[in-house]
Amino acid sequence: LDVMMPYIDGYHVASEISARLGAEAPKIIIMTSRDVASEKGITLMSGANDAVQKPFSLDELESKIKSVMGS
């Protein structure tokens, strides 16, 4: 999910997904141009599993996906 979306931000979407689906919620990676380290708390509180800072490489995204999926 991108943080900066029209009408609702990615953190709120992640929070809604997590609240509605609980343990059945899909893994969520937040994409943001903000500093990932300073946003770590809100990322985890939203129910997202991790975050990646834009711009990012496909290798970096693949690494995040593997980490979140436990691969």
Side-chain angles (χ1 to χ4, degrees):
L1 291 170
D2 198 338
V3 170
M4 305 298 276
M5 299 188 306
Y7 310 113
I8 186 169
D9 67 40
Y11 295 125
H12 285 99
V13 173
S15 180
E16 284 292 319
I17 290 170
S18 296
R20 291 180 187 201
L21 300 179
E24 299 296 317
K27 305 291 185 186
I28 299 171
I29 298 174
I30 295 285
M31 299 184 303
T32 182
S33 56
R34 300 174 183 167
D35 180 52
V36 172
S38 67
E39 301 264 326
K40 189 69 169 177
I42 193 167
T43 297
L44 297 177
M45 285 177 26
S46 73
N49 301 92
D50 207 343
V52 62
Q53 188 169 348
K54 298 187 286 185
F56 52 84
S57 69
L58 289 179
D59 288 339
E60 184 178 0
L61 181 59
E62 181 180 14
S63 176
K64 290 280 185 181
I65 292 169
K66 285 181 178 179
S67 175
V68 165
M69 298 305 291
S71 303

